[in-house]
Amino acid sequence: MKTFLKYEKPLLTCMVQAKTPERIKQLIDLGDKEGAETYGMQFCQMKPEYRKREVYLELFRYTDKPTYVTNYRLFENQGKSDEQLAAEILELADCGATLCDVMGDIYCRTEGELTMDEVAIEKQIKLIDELHARGAEVLMSSHVLKYTPAERVLEIALEHQRRGADICKIVTSADTMEQQIENLRIVNMLKEKLDIPFLFLAGGESRILRRLGSSLGCCMSLCVYEHDELSTPLQPLICDMKKIRDLI
């Protein structure tokens, strides 16, 4: 059974951002050679003409490894309503996605990506229930994108857990070495306080967290095979992360 919830070591997730399904397949083939254990497909990057059921089915069948999918408001998705994005996530689950990313502010866009609007929260809980009914696991994400104190990070994480997410994902930032070190402490705090797996990341000066977070408690590392024009520059190469994780 494909899952992100059972693992011996934190998972090496190779992110495959591409405009076409052919490029996604190519990156999967390359990731396999470097030891990728799961794959992350960011469908907001894919050209509209490929956003259809038969393409999704083909991609999820192409690899025997678990797949994590996102459908953010970025890139090709700009201008779509949150209802459209939610419907597309449900379709990805129907087609075989293992882990579906639900934004913490879907149905009520909010700075920091965690709405506290009660109507929106109820709709989120319903969406998560519908994804679970389709056999998918659910990750809730909040891209805060600024340095965030530990107490606030914990509040966000507990909200993700309360709304029914299987995995919590929070992305903050770090601008100094002191903030990088504090972020490492936050990883340990989440490990102690949360009942669900989590992924805690940061932008800015985040090299330490990106490389050591999984060794301290994060459930996975988001990596790339190579840094091309669509990949996230802060995500480390999978060949490097495999060495770091296995040696530690």
Side-chain angles (χ1 to χ4, degrees), residues 149-164:
E151 295 74 17
R152 177 56 182 160
V153 173
L154 182 58
E155 288 175 358
I156 296 169
L158 290 173
E159 271 299 306
H160 289 182
Q161 181 174 286
R162 183 178 73 86
R163 296 176 195 185

Side-chain angles (χ1 to χ4, degrees), residues 183-246:
N183 280 343
L184 294 181
R185 187 184 74 83
I186 289 173
V187 172
N188 189 65
M189 176 197 68
L190 293 174
K191 185 178 180 180
E192 292 178 345
K193 301 290 186 181
L194 274 189
D195 294 328
I196 60 173
F198 63 89
L199 176 59
F200 182 56
L201 299 170
E205 294 294 328
S206 63
R207 293 175 184 84
I208 294 177
L209 178 62
R210 293 270 179 175
R211 285 154 181 78
L212 296 184
S214 62
S215 298
L216 297 177
C218 291
C219 64
M220 67 176 111
S221 296
L222 302 187
C223 317
V224 293
Y225 169 76
E226 63 184 359
H227 290 115
D228 61 17
E229 68 278 6
L230 297 184
S231 64
T232 300
L234 281 173
Q235 291 173 349
L237 295 177
I238 191 166
C239 59
D240 293 338
M241 275 309 304
K242 186 174 186 346
K243 292 175 185 175
I244 292 170
R245 184 200 67 176
D246 292 351

Side-chain angles (χ1 to χ4, degrees), residues 137-150:
E137 298 165 354
V138 178
L139 175 151
M140 180 164 274
S141 62
S142 290
H143 293 77
V144 186
L145 303 182
K146 64 181 180 181
Y147 175 71
T148 306

Side-chain angles (χ1 to χ4, degrees), residues 25-40:
K25 291 178 184 177
Q26 181 185 40
L27 287 169
I28 289 173
D29 291 338
L30 293 168
D32 281 348
K33 295 176 182 178
E34 295 292 348
E37 295 161 347
T38 60
Y39 286 97

Side-chain angles (χ1 to χ4, degrees), residues 4 11 13 25 29 51 93 98 106 123 130 144 151 162 166 168 172 181 186 201 203 205 211 216:
F4 279 78
L11 296 166
T13 299
K25 291 178 184 177
D29 291 338
R51 295 294 305 270
T98 310
I106 195 167
K123 292 171 73 174
E130 290 177 350
V144 186
E151 295 74 17
R162 183 178 73 86
D166 301 296
C168 159
T172 61
I181 293 170
I186 289 173
L201 299 170
E205 294 294 328
R211 285 154 181 78
L216 297 177

